[in-house]
Amino acid sequence: TAPTENATLHDGPEYSRDGKYIYFNSVRTGTMQLWRMKPDGSEEEQVTFDEYNNWFPHFSPDGKWILYVAFPKDIDPTSHPFYKRIYLRIMPAAGGIPRTIAYIYGGQGTINVPSWSPDNERMVYTSFVRGTSDMWIINRRGGGRIRLNTNLGLNTSATFSSGSNPTRSAMVLTKKPISGSRSGCARLGLGMPM
């Protein structure tokens, strides 16, 4: 059964950390906006209210922050483009004004789960530039950007590994095969907090 009765496009679902809501994006207002509802489909309510097309809400491990991708309003809200100028935005999970922490080339595949570091302070994202994928880390306030790699091809993604020490996390980079290339996986140790 569909969790929502509305017949428009919905995707990108993620449970809130407390399990009380499912957050998702929906085009029911004409632009893609973030919404939430109870797991039984009741109490649907809009979370973002701006002119952007907002996609893929991802919660920080402590459940206090939501990271998401925002496309400009000229993007078709029913598509999933991967190579556009976009905003990485963050907002308090309890509600509040979203703010932009990065303006990059990206889209589909820019942030994956888990995109947050275990200490709730950093996020990893993929930026698509000149036919390649570059992995970056940025802190929650929008500073401290660090490039992890360059020129890995288009089908590359990164996630934080979970561990017992949140200030000494590691990144896992994966590369899916593209016509004749090899797949692979690499683990990067990140020994210092940022």
Side-chain angles (χ1 to χ4, degrees):
T1 39
T4 180
E5 297 298 322
N6 194 295
T8 61
L9 174 67
H10 319 288
D11 76 353
E14 182 163 308
Y15 273 94
S16 59
R17 292 293 184 220
D18 61 11
K20 292 181 180 178
Y21 291 96
I22 298 172
Y23 283 70
F24 61 100
N25 36 272
S26 177
V27 74
R28 66 183 73 179
T29 61
T31 58
M32 189 65 77
Q33 295 297 321
L34 301 185
W35 289 72
R36 74 180 190 173
M37 65 183 170
K38 296 281 187 174
D40 66 2
S42 65
E43 298 183 35
E44 293 182 23
E45 63 181 308
Q46 191 171 343
V47 176
T48 56
F49 298 87
D50 55 35
E51 72 276 14
Y52 301 111
N53 285 294
N54 300 312
W55 262 289
F56 311 123
H58 294 303
F59 280 87
S60 60
D62 64 7
K64 294 180 180 178
W65 299 97
I66 301 172
L67 175 69
Y68 63 95
V69 172
F71 289 88
K73 59 185 171 185
D74 62 341
I75 298 297
D76 176 2
T78 63
S79 67
H80 285 91
F82 75 94
Y83 184 67
K84 299 290 180 184
R85 291 293 279 174
I86 64 163
Y87 304 93
L88 280 182
R89 302 195 86 200
I90 189 172
M91 67 181 291
I97 299 171
R99 62 185 168 81
T100 300
I101 60 170
Y103 183 55
I104 62 170
Y105 277 100
Q108 176 72 21
T110 291
I111 52 177
N112 292 307
V113 177
S115 51
W116 286 86
S117 64
D119 65 0
N120 306 293
E121 291 296 322
R122 298 169 286 164
M123 291 82 72
V124 61
Y125 66 90
T126 303
S127 180
F128 306 108
V129 181
R130 296 176 301 279
T132 67
S133 297
D134 291 347
M135 303 298 134
W136 293 83
I137 291 178
I138 191 168
N139 70 37
R140 183 168 46 87
R141 290 162 296 287
R145 281 181 23 151
I146 297 173
R147 179 184 281 158
L148 297 175
N149 72 295
T150 188
N151 198 16
L152 283 183
L154 284 179
N155 280 353
T156 306
S157 63
T159 57
F160 274 96
S161 65
S162 57
S164 59
N165 184 344
T167 63
R168 299 186 69 79
S169 355
M171 296 296 313
V172 178
L173 303 177
T174 57
K175 180 172 174 55
K176 297 175 187 166
I178 308 173
S179 62
S181 68
R182 295 177 9 180
S183 64
C185 182
R187 186 172 188 274
L188 302 176
L190 301 174
M192 294 191 302
M194 290 192 254

mmCIF file of all heavy atoms in Angstrom, residues 5 20 25 42 44 56 71 75 80 89 95 103 111 117 121 129 131 133 139 150 154 180:
data_model
loop_
_atom_site.group_PDB
_atom_site.id
_atom_site.type_symbol
_atom_site.label_atom_id
_atom_site.label_comp_id
_atom_site.label_asym_id
_atom_site.label_seq_id
_atom_site.Cartn_x
_atom_site.Cartn_y
_atom_site.Cartn_z
ATOM 1 N N GLU A 5 -1.887 9.127 0.035
ATOM 2 C CA GLU A 5 -2.964 9.010 -0.956
ATOM 3 C C GLU A 5 -2.801 9.999 -2.105
ATOM 4 O O GLU A 5 -3.489 9.902 -3.102
ATOM 5 C CB GLU A 5 -4.326 9.237 -0.277
ATOM 6 C CG GLU A 5 -4.639 8.198 0.772
ATOM 7 C CD GLU A 5 -4.739 6.788 0.208
ATOM 8 O OE1 GLU A 5 -5.261 6.619 -0.907
ATOM 9 O OE2 GLU A 5 -4.261 5.859 0.876
ATOM 10 N N LYS A 20 9.257 8.556 14.494
ATOM 11 C CA LYS A 20 7.891 9.073 14.559
ATOM 12 C C LYS A 20 7.366 9.570 13.220
ATOM 13 O O LYS A 20 6.159 9.684 13.032
ATOM 14 C CB LYS A 20 7.810 10.207 15.584
ATOM 15 C CG LYS A 20 8.017 9.740 17.004
ATOM 16 C CD LYS A 20 7.910 10.896 17.974
ATOM 17 C CE LYS A 20 8.125 10.416 19.400
ATOM 18 N NZ LYS A 20 8.066 11.541 20.344
ATOM 19 N N ASN A 25 10.197 13.802 -0.263
ATOM 20 C CA ASN A 25 9.959 14.954 -1.119
ATOM 21 C C ASN A 25 8.753 14.662 -2.001
ATOM 22 O O ASN A 25 8.500 13.532 -2.392
ATOM 23 C CB ASN A 25 11.182 15.343 -1.939
ATOM 24 C CG ASN A 25 12.022 14.206 -2.418
ATOM 25 O OD1 ASN A 25 12.915 13.771 -1.714
ATOM 26 N ND2 ASN A 25 11.758 13.713 -3.617
ATOM 27 N N SER A 42 -0.680 9.086 8.034
ATOM 28 C CA SER A 42 -1.496 10.193 8.534
ATOM 29 C C SER A 42 -0.636 11.424 8.812
ATOM 30 O O SER A 42 0.589 11.351 8.815
ATOM 31 C CB SER A 42 -2.235 9.773 9.812
ATOM 32 O OG SER A 42 -1.314 9.517 10.860
ATOM 33 N N GLU A 44 0.091 14.256 7.196
ATOM 34 C CA GLU A 44 1.039 14.797 6.210
ATOM 35 C C GLU A 44 1.165 16.298 6.411
ATOM 36 O O GLU A 44 0.168 16.992 6.562
ATOM 37 C CB GLU A 44 0.552 14.506 4.793
ATOM 38 C CG GLU A 44 0.553 13.048 4.444
ATOM 39 C CD GLU A 44 0.117 12.803 3.009
ATOM 40 O OE1 GLU A 44 0.227 13.721 2.166
ATOM 41 O OE2 GLU A 44 -0.334 11.687 2.744
ATOM 42 N N PHE A 56 15.654 14.764 -1.195
ATOM 43 C CA PHE A 56 16.499 13.820 -0.456
ATOM 44 C C PHE A 56 16.888 14.285 0.951
ATOM 45 O O PHE A 56 18.049 14.534 1.242
ATOM 46 C CB PHE A 56 17.762 13.476 -1.260
ATOM 47 C CG PHE A 56 17.481 13.093 -2.675
ATOM 48 C CD1 PHE A 56 18.066 13.787 -3.728
ATOM 49 C CD2 PHE A 56 16.619 12.053 -2.963
ATOM 50 C CE1 PHE A 56 17.796 13.443 -5.040
ATOM 51 C CE2 PHE A 56 16.333 11.706 -4.274
ATOM 52 C CZ PHE A 56 16.926 12.400 -5.311
ATOM 53 N N PHE A 71 17.471 22.245 -5.874
ATOM 54 C CA PHE A 71 17.666 22.655 -7.264
ATOM 55 C C PHE A 71 16.988 24.004 -7.484
ATOM 56 O O PHE A 71 15.979 24.311 -6.842
ATOM 57 C CB PHE A 71 17.010 21.657 -8.222
ATOM 58 C CG PHE A 71 17.706 20.338 -8.321
ATOM 59 C CD1 PHE A 71 17.396 19.308 -7.459
ATOM 60 C CD2 PHE A 71 18.640 20.109 -9.315
ATOM 61 C CE1 PHE A 71 18.011 18.078 -7.561
ATOM 62 C CE2 PHE A 71 19.268 18.884 -9.427
ATOM 63 C CZ PHE A 71 18.955 17.868 -8.545
ATOM 64 N N ILE A 75 14.336 23.802 -12.812
ATOM 65 C CA ILE A 75 14.511 22.362 -13.013
ATOM 66 C C ILE A 75 13.141 21.690 -12.986
ATOM 67 O O ILE A 75 12.302 22.003 -12.142
ATOM 68 C CB ILE A 75 15.399 21.764 -11.891
ATOM 69 C CG1 ILE A 75 16.788 22.375 -11.922
ATOM 70 C CG2 ILE A 75 15.464 20.244 -11.961
ATOM 71 C CD1 ILE A 75 17.570 22.105 -13.166
ATOM 72 N N HIS A 80 15.321 13.727 -12.201
ATOM 73 C CA HIS A 80 16.372 13.526 -11.208
ATOM 74 C C HIS A 80 17.729 13.845 -11.849
ATOM 75 O O HIS A 80 18.566 12.970 -12.015
ATOM 76 C CB HIS A 80 16.380 12.082 -10.702
ATOM 77 C CG HIS A 80 15.272 11.776 -9.768
ATOM 78 N ND1 HIS A 80 14.072 11.300 -10.199
ATOM 79 C CD2 HIS A 80 15.185 11.879 -8.426
ATOM 80 C CE1 HIS A 80 13.280 11.117 -9.165
ATOM 81 N NE2 HIS A 80 13.936 11.463 -8.080
ATOM 82 N N ARG A 89 21.706 22.269 1.394
ATOM 83 C CA ARG A 89 21.059 23.073 2.423
ATOM 84 C C ARG A 89 20.886 22.247 3.684
ATOM 85 O O ARG A 89 20.808 21.021 3.636
ATOM 86 C CB ARG A 89 19.707 23.585 1.927
ATOM 87 C CG ARG A 89 19.881 24.415 0.642
ATOM 88 C CD ARG A 89 18.694 25.236 0.308
ATOM 89 N NE ARG A 89 18.802 26.497 1.042
ATOM 90 C CZ ARG A 89 17.767 27.294 1.283
ATOM 91 N NH1 ARG A 89 16.565 26.975 0.894
ATOM 92 N NH2 ARG A 89 17.944 28.408 1.943
ATOM 93 N N GLY A 95 12.309 22.287 12.886
ATOM 94 C CA GLY A 95 11.724 23.394 12.137
ATOM 95 C C GLY A 95 12.620 24.606 12.222
ATOM 96 O O GLY A 95 13.434 24.731 13.127
ATOM 97 N N TYR A 103 27.294 25.677 -2.699
ATOM 98 C CA TYR A 103 26.711 25.860 -4.029
ATOM 99 C C TYR A 103 27.641 25.122 -4.974
ATOM 100 O O TYR A 103 28.796 25.516 -5.155
ATOM 101 C CB TYR A 103 26.642 27.351 -4.348
ATOM 102 C CG TYR A 103 25.985 27.690 -5.662
ATOM 103 C CD1 TYR A 103 24.707 27.245 -5.960
ATOM 104 C CD2 TYR A 103 26.646 28.476 -6.595
ATOM 105 C CE1 TYR A 103 24.098 27.574 -7.162
ATOM 106 C CE2 TYR A 103 26.051 28.814 -7.796
ATOM 107 C CZ TYR A 103 24.773 28.365 -8.078
ATOM 108 O OH TYR A 103 24.177 28.680 -9.262
ATOM 109 N N ILE A 111 24.409 13.376 -2.390
ATOM 110 C CA ILE A 111 24.484 12.935 -0.992
ATOM 111 C C ILE A 111 23.851 11.560 -0.883
ATOM 112 O O ILE A 111 22.818 11.289 -1.466
ATOM 113 C CB ILE A 111 23.825 13.931 -0.010
ATOM 114 C CG1 ILE A 111 22.401 14.288 -0.419
ATOM 115 C CG2 ILE A 111 24.677 15.154 0.156
ATOM 116 C CD1 ILE A 111 21.682 15.212 0.556
ATOM 117 N N SER A 117 28.795 12.515 9.240
ATOM 118 C CA SER A 117 29.786 11.867 10.101
ATOM 119 C C SER A 117 29.105 11.477 11.413
ATOM 120 O O SER A 117 28.111 12.090 11.807
ATOM 121 C CB SER A 117 30.957 12.815 10.376
ATOM 122 O OG SER A 117 30.516 13.948 11.100
ATOM 123 N N GLU A 121 28.888 16.604 12.815
ATOM 124 C CA GLU A 121 29.534 17.865 12.459
ATOM 125 C C GLU A 121 29.893 17.992 10.983
ATOM 126 O O GLU A 121 30.044 19.098 10.488
ATOM 127 C CB GLU A 121 30.803 18.065 13.295
ATOM 128 C CG GLU A 121 30.523 18.324 14.756
ATOM 129 C CD GLU A 121 29.759 19.623 14.969
ATOM 130 O OE1 GLU A 121 30.027 20.619 14.267
ATOM 131 O OE2 GLU A 121 28.884 19.638 15.853
ATOM 132 N N VAL A 129 31.959 17.548 -11.842
ATOM 133 C CA VAL A 129 32.566 18.635 -12.596
ATOM 134 C C VAL A 129 33.337 18.067 -13.777
ATOM 135 O O VAL A 129 34.116 17.130 -13.621
ATOM 136 C CB VAL A 129 33.527 19.465 -11.697
ATOM 137 C CG1 VAL A 129 34.150 20.605 -12.476
ATOM 138 C CG2 VAL A 129 32.792 19.989 -10.479
ATOM 139 N N GLY A 131 32.760 16.061 -16.194
ATOM 140 C CA GLY A 131 32.679 14.638 -16.473
ATOM 141 C C GLY A 131 33.296 13.733 -15.435
ATOM 142 O O GLY A 131 33.522 12.558 -15.689
ATOM 143 N N SER A 133 33.720 12.839 -10.896
ATOM 144 C CA SER A 133 33.157 12.991 -9.551
ATOM 145 C C SER A 133 34.269 13.360 -8.595
ATOM 146 O O SER A 133 35.296 12.686 -8.549
ATOM 147 C CB SER A 133 32.550 11.670 -9.067
ATOM 148 O OG SER A 133 31.492 11.283 -9.877
ATOM 149 N N ASN A 139 31.822 21.055 6.785
ATOM 150 C CA ASN A 139 31.246 21.005 8.130
ATOM 151 C C ASN A 139 29.832 21.577 8.118
ATOM 152 O O ASN A 139 29.400 22.197 7.155
ATOM 153 C CB ASN A 139 32.157 21.652 9.181
ATOM 154 C CG ASN A 139 32.259 23.150 9.063
ATOM 155 O OD1 ASN A 139 31.301 23.844 8.748
ATOM 156 N ND2 ASN A 139 33.448 23.673 9.338
ATOM 157 N N THR A 150 39.956 13.453 -6.639
ATOM 158 C CA THR A 150 39.573 14.116 -7.875
ATOM 159 C C THR A 150 39.576 13.098 -9.000
ATOM 160 O O THR A 150 40.281 12.094 -8.961
ATOM 161 C CB THR A 150 40.510 15.309 -8.189
ATOM 162 O OG1 THR A 150 39.984 16.021 -9.300
ATOM 163 C CG2 THR A 150 41.918 14.874 -8.486
ATOM 164 N N LEU A 154 32.193 9.240 -13.197
ATOM 165 C CA LEU A 154 30.877 9.691 -12.784
ATOM 166 C C LEU A 154 30.142 8.788 -11.803
ATOM 167 O O LEU A 154 29.261 9.246 -11.123
ATOM 168 C CB LEU A 154 29.983 9.897 -14.013
ATOM 169 C CG LEU A 154 30.287 11.172 -14.779
ATOM 170 C CD1 LEU A 154 29.384 11.280 -15.987
ATOM 171 C CD2 LEU A 154 30.093 12.386 -13.893
ATOM 172 N N GLY A 180 33.622 -0.927 -19.413
ATOM 173 C CA GLY A 180 35.017 -1.321 -19.513
ATOM 174 C C GLY A 180 35.879 -0.955 -18.329
ATOM 175 O O GLY A 180 37.010 -1.388 -18.236
#
